[in-house]
Amino acid sequence: MGLISGSLTFFRLHFQETIKLSNQEIQLALDKYSFNNLFEEEKFVNYGFVPFDFPVQTDFLTADTDFDGLAVFGVRIDEKKINKKYFDIEFERMKSAFLLENGKTYLTKTDKEFLKNALNKKLLKSSLPTTSIVEIILNQDEKCIFVSALNSKVMDILEHLFRLAFEIAIYRESMIENIRKKTNNAKLIDDMLMLTPYNF
Amino acid sequence: MKLYTDKKDITFLESEFLTYLLGKYYLGENLFDTENGSFYFEASEHIVLYNPNTEEKISIESSDFNLCKEIYTALKDGKKVFELSIKVKMGSISFDITFRTEPLRIVRVNAPKSIAENLQDKVIERGLYLKEIYEIYDVLLSDFAQTRTTDDWYIFIRKFREFITNI
């Protein structure tokens, strides 16, 4: 995992709410919205919290979460994708069989939807997911979290999970927001917002 | 959730910040303080510059930016910094940080491996490095903001232009 070794590339996200949770409260929240508890087989994407050092550790109540005041854990994201070409081939097969069985010469819109849903369910069940683990560090004092991977999909997932588990709204940082937090100088921010581009 | 509704687009400040860091390095004004001590940085290894009119980007790899003529040429041509790597030295510790714009953020970090033996200590040590790296980022940003909004900016520009002209 990146936090222990290798590149320490983590992205910072912020939240405004004040939270003062004990380690036990954090563990209970993580356990409640854990990957195992949120998992549904028919979903394309499953996600939820996992302990730090997963899969060596699988149980929140026995895993280490508190590291000198920082809460460290992970988010597991399993995503199933069906290859479009394979889907199209299988759909044609199902379509031919359906027309023969039902003595039809063409599919209605309802028929097509029925077949597509049935095929999706069948292929999803048998396909393996792509799994990724995002490492998370929660710093309550500084109202920020550090995450080891970030794109729009991961951001949506994290926003959802943190809202559920901790009732906080996380957001991406901006240059101005960072300066405001560091300096606490409203006039400086006002002056920056009035600037125009400079040609070096 | 966006906290600040910008009155207008100020994303130009992102590349100005990176160009400022490059300028501070070239001018030898690259020593700063954080809560935990002083650090200095060297711009090195990797830089991406772009032409805002044509959107053409050039990527330069160099172990010594002082000797890299391509960077000076690009700056004289009015190109702006899109991505910049710096090496930060703080006491006996060194970090490599790469910044990128659109939006401004840290995209790559190399920090020392932990010398601790158990997992708890490893995580705490690396967590402290991460905290320090973002503290350094905030210090550099704040310094840029303070300079950019005062007459110190014009002093910096004059010195930087003289430096580039005399290469």
Side-chain angles (χ1 to χ4, degrees):
Chain A
M1 288 194 160
L3 183 54
I4 302 175
S5 61
S7 160
L8 196 58
T9 304
F10 275 69
F11 305 93
R12 184 172 57 181
L13 304 171
H14 297 282
F15 56 91
Q16 286 290 107
E17 297 83 350
T18 300
I19 52 171
K20 297 259 184 241
L21 300 169
S22 66
N23 185 46
Q24 195 186 21
E25 286 169 319
I26 290 174
Q27 283 178 318
L28 287 171
L30 295 175
D31 188 56
K32 184 176 177 185
Y33 297 102
S34 65
F35 181 86
N36 287 344
N37 281 342
L38 297 179
F39 180 82
E40 289 175 38
E41 193 162 348
E42 59 275 9
K43 286 196 324 202
F44 275 100
V45 182
N46 275 291
Y47 52 84
F49 295 114
V50 291
F52 180 68
D53 210 21
F54 177 86
V56 173
Q57 291 285 348
T58 55
D59 175 13
F60 276 110
L61 302 178
T62 54
D64 281 332
T65 313
D66 179 55
F67 293 83
D68 198 30
L70 298 177
V72 181
F73 46 93
V75 166
R76 175 177 168 180
I77 303 169
D78 277 16
E79 188 172 6
K80 286 189 178 182
K81 280 183 181 164
I82 298 169
N83 181 279
K84 191 182 179 308
K85 202 71 188 172
Y86 185 76
F87 184 91
D88 290 344
I89 292 167
E90 289 297 301
F91 180 73
E92 283 305 314
R93 241 171 7 108
M94 270 182 95
K95 183 174 133 189
S96 302
F98 182 85
L99 289 171
L100 196 64
E101 276 170 30
N102 295 279
K104 286 186 161 190
T105 53
Y106 67 91
L107 291 181
T108 64
K109 194 176 167 189
T110 316
D111 291 337
K112 275 185 193 167
E113 274 175 29
F114 169 76
L115 284 178
K116 280 184 177 174
N117 282 336
L119 182 56
N120 253 334
K121 269 191 182 155
K122 179 187 164 194
L123 293 179
L124 267 183
K125 242 187 173 173
S126 57
S127 65
L128 293 174
T130 308
T131 297
S132 53
I133 308 281
V134 179
E135 293 172 291
I136 313 275
I137 304 171
L138 168 62
N139 187 331
Q140 296 184 76
D141 294 338
E142 294 183 17
K143 297 186 183 180
C144 66
I145 64 171
F146 296 96
V147 304
S148 61
L150 191 64
N151 55 39
S152 51
K153 180 182 72 185
V154 171
M155 187 68 197
D156 287 343
I157 288 170
L158 293 177
E159 278 178 337
H160 185 221
L161 283 175
F162 276 85
R163 196 166 50 244
L164 285 176
F166 304 108
E167 294 177 0
I168 59 176
I170 58 170
Y171 58 93
R172 290 184 197 246
E173 60 181 20
S174 70
M175 184 181 184
I176 292 292
E177 184 65 13
N178 287 349
I179 294 167
R180 184 194 71 80
K181 277 178 183 276
K182 182 65 184 167
T183 64
N184 207 22
N185 185 338
K187 187 182 179 306
L188 177 63
I189 300 304
D190 285 343
D191 289 344
M192 288 208 78
L193 292 173
M194 299 306 292
L195 290 173
T196 53
Y198 200 92
N199 277 327
F200 283 80
Chain B
M1 181 175 104
K2 208 175 168 189
L3 283 192
Y4 266 95
T5 305
D6 294 345
K7 295 183 179 65
K8 62 181 192 295
D9 180 13
I10 54 166
T11 53
F12 62 87
L13 287 173
E14 296 175 358
S15 64
E16 284 191 11
F17 166 64
L18 295 189
T19 311
Y20 175 74
L21 288 186
L22 185 63
K24 292 294 264 184
Y25 166 65
Y26 279 136
L27 295 173
E29 296 171 8
N30 52 340
L31 180 66
F32 292 86
D33 293 316
T34 70
E35 290 166 0
N36 299 317
S38 300
F39 70 90
Y40 71 92
F41 72 88
E42 296 169 351
S44 81
E45 296 304 329
H46 173 76
I47 184 170
V48 177
L49 298 115
Y50 77 102
N51 184 324
N53 298 320
T54 65
E55 295 187 0
E56 173 210 350
K57 283 195 178 107
I58 60 166
S59 178
I60 300 170
E61 312 289 325
S62 171
S63 57
D64 190 345
F65 275 25
N66 288 306
L67 302 175
C68 187
K69 288 180 185 165
E70 288 89 348
I71 297 176
Y72 298 128
T73 306
L75 291 171
K76 283 179 187 176
D77 286 346
K79 288 193 174 62
K80 298 185 186 299
V81 182
F82 173 78
E83 188 171 309
L84 178 68
S85 296
I86 64 172
K87 185 179 277 300
V88 174
K89 296 197 178 153
M90 191 167 186
S92 59
I93 299 169
S94 150
F95 305 120
D96 295 325
I97 307 173
T98 301
F99 301 102
R100 187 186 294 163
T101 61
E102 297 177 12
L104 181 67
R105 63 211 187 277
I106 292 176
V107 292
R108 203 156 40 246
V109 169
N110 278 325
K113 284 184 187 170
S114 169
I115 53 171
E117 288 182 2
N118 67 55
L119 182 67
Q120 259 275 341
D121 292 340
K122 273 191 208 293
V123 171
I124 290 169
E125 185 180 340
R126 295 270 287 181
L128 285 172
Y129 288 151
L130 189 60
K131 224 175 145 189
E132 194 56 50
I133 284 159
Y134 272 91
E135 169 67 13
I136 287 166
Y137 175 39
D138 291 341
V139 162
L140 292 173
L141 260 183
S142 302
D143 179 75
F144 167 70
Q146 304 277 9
T147 301
R148 186 65 175 86
T149 52
T150 63
D151 288 342
D152 287 345
W153 178 246
Y154 304 103
I155 298 170
F156 163 76
I157 290 294
R158 182 178 49 76
K159 287 196 286 188
F160 190 38
R161 281 180 179 161
E162 274 173 17
F163 173 84
I164 296 293
T165 307
N166 293 333
I167 294 295

